[in-house]
Amino acid sequence: MALEFLPESGASPAAYLEAARAVQSAAHDEALVPLRVSVVASFTADVLAPYLTVEGARRGLGIDVEFGPYGQLEQQLLDAGSPTLARRPDVVVVATRAEDLAPALLDELLTMDADDVAAEVAAVERRITALLEGARARTDAALLVFNHAPPRYAPAGVADGGQSVSIASAIAAVNDAIARACAAVPGCFVFDLARVAAEVGLARWSDARLAHLGRIPFSAAAQQEIGRALARRLRSLRMPPRKCLVLDLDNTLWGGVLGEDGPGGIKLGADYPGNVFSSFQRHVKRLRSRGVLLAVASKNNPADALEVLDGHPDCVLRSSDFAALQISWEDKATSLLAIARELNIGVDSLAFFDDNPVEREWVRSRLPQVAVVDVPASPTGYVEALEAAELFDHPVLTEEDGRRADLYRAERQRREAQVGSGSVEEFLRSLEMQVTMGEIDDATLPRVAQLLQKTNQFNLTTRRHTASEVAAMLDSGGIGVWMRVADRFGDNGLVGVALATPRGDGVWDVDSFLLSCRVIGRRVEACLLAELARLVAARGGHTLVGHFVPSEKNAVAARMYPDLGFAPAGDGSWNWKLFQGLPLQPDFVYICSQP
């Protein structure tokens, strides 16, 4: 669907209403990913509808949103027959205000001590927890919970910052309580309204007329920004982020052209304009810390570029920070393809940042799957442009995200070791692999859900179960197994997931089976499948049915079941059965242990 009719950010409410009607009339278009959203709120929230519809479409989502009556949180979330839950939403948004949940914090704060505030915060946490646990028992939808913005006017006025109990600290404590409540419930996430308010500014956040006439706590400007931020958050729940940021070097990571200016002549350091590029490098390094892979695609002399990356005193990023380096005189599209091959990820997992508009257009024309960032002419806008692209939004960050870049660096060492091995078997033995497995629990569920959402290659069914759906599957008698793989180069983290559900009469179906691309080719799938089969047998199962659903990317996994001893199901499908051989006994040299 062409989206040229969508208004620019900052357009009038009337323009958003008109555009929302146009989006809804084209909601059947396959270009938009459908998403059913139900909103329950302690205030009038339906004014957000046109902004959410339009900003969702801008991000590829066809959002079908309905709003429950305000002030009916328990009625809508704790009754499976309520309109909110009966429509089987994909996401339920729980929107509250501190004024509604803990009015004493605003009205009586100056008469309260720290214990009184703690009691109010604890009451909020108990109520939010009860709402979320009750909703989770009645729906598999993702739950997205607003935290709170501080009031514009502090009870203590200008003295608030110096109070032992300030409104700022009280609201922060409430937000911490909301975060704890969300962390305790599978498939529950925080929507950071407090940050949106900070970006808009408290002076522009509310409109007294709207608040008193319609119980609408947000100004028109705030409504638009909430719609934008909420659509972005919803997209993070529905669509996987890009995995790798590919960067140019000259006039991107430093000022000037290395081949012309030399290492001593490029702009990089504490003074302008070098400090602009240093700031951009620090921002990029923070992206690496949250799991974004970094790569270089630069037309340069490799030795000169590495001299700057590893030797320049003001270079924040070093060559070791990059998972792949394509420094040559090849065109950028060719370099991007090489990076995707080296990292064993799809081209559609790449984002490209290059100051040269000609290079950007070349990549767009040759590799439309790559997300090309619109880079401004001035490097002072680089950070803002990269953030505005919204390419690296994870619904939640896991331990593996923080270690991902180091994991890929270790993988490069493994590839180098493989080159010196005489055979695959010799290489695998040289890795000294250790495989650890266990049943999925609350601690491993976030990472399991993340793998289910983003793994494409070694994924036999590509079923995108959410954390709440996995939890419901296990609660209803299913089996879930996670797998970690470590070797002499390091710990790869949690890289395997298998889910099985009982069909009845001793027959079980393998609902999902997947491995991270980091361990493809190491034959550890035999270990994961053996553990799943062992647990099925322990539950009285005698037949395991493996399902393979072909996709554009999972051909590498097509032979797993027959290669591990499964027989064709005999019904003309891609299904395979393992009869009476449970538990499976693979022949491999790895160490398999329960934690």
Side-chain angles (χ1 to χ4, degrees), residues 391-412:
L391 296 170
F392 306 109
D393 292 336
H394 288 271
V396 64
L397 293 179
T398 66
E399 175 191 352
E400 276 76 11
D401 292 321
R403 299 175 54 240
R404 181 171 293 113
D406 292 331
L407 294 173
Y408 273 83
R409 182 171 59 185
E411 184 59 28
R412 183 187 299 176

Side-chain angles (χ1 to χ4, degrees), residues 248-290:
D248 180 39
L249 295 178
D250 292 334
N251 287 315
T252 299
L253 288 188
W254 54 68
V257 177
L258 181 58
E260 298 174 1
D261 302 321
I266 61 172
K267 305 298 188 293
L268 196 61
D271 299 321
Y272 183 84
N275 57 3
V276 178
F277 294 96
S278 294
S279 294
F280 180 58
Q281 287 197 30
R282 284 193 292 272
H283 182 76
V284 169
K285 192 155 189 171
R286 287 192 290 270
L287 289 178
R288 182 185 186 274
S289 297
R290 75 182 199 216

Side-chain angles (χ1 to χ4, degrees), residues 198-239:
E199 291 176 352
V200 173
L202 292 180
R204 301 174 58 235
W205 184 244
S206 60
D207 182 318
R209 184 179 61 87
L210 292 177
H212 289 98
L213 288 177
R215 200 178 173 86
I216 301 169
F218 312 121
S219 67
Q223 292 168 33
Q224 183 178 147
E225 288 306 305
I226 293 169
R228 177 195 60 77
L230 187 52
R232 177 175 180 174
R233 193 68 169 103
L234 289 170
R235 185 180 66 174
S236 77
L237 300 179
R238 194 70 169 183
M239 300 177 179

Side-chain angles (χ1 to χ4, degrees), residues 102-185:
L105 290 181
L106 283 80
D107 298 336
E108 304 170 23
L109 184 66
L110 296 183
T111 66
M112 301 170 72
D113 60 21
D115 290 339
D116 296 329
V117 172
E120 287 292 321
V121 171
V124 171
E125 185 169 357
R126 286 194 299 271
R127 186 178 181 189
I128 293 293
T129 298
L131 287 170
L132 298 181
E133 290 179 345
R136 175 54 63 236
R138 294 164 176 84
T139 178
D140 292 334
L143 303 173
L144 189 58
V145 185
F146 279 36
N147 67 11
H148 299 153
R152 180 179 180 184
Y153 301 109
V158 296
D160 186 72
Q163 296 291 104
S164 59
V165 178
S166 67
I167 191 62
S169 63
I171 296 300
V174 169
N175 289 342
D176 288 343
I178 291 172
R180 288 193 298 272
C182 288
V185 177

Side-chain angles (χ1 to χ4, degrees), residues 43 96 146-149 190-198 205 218 226:
F43 52 83
T96 63
F146 279 36
N147 67 11
H148 299 153
V190 173
F191 173 64
D192 196 357
L193 188 74
R195 174 165 290 278
V196 182
W205 184 244
F218 312 121
I226 293 169

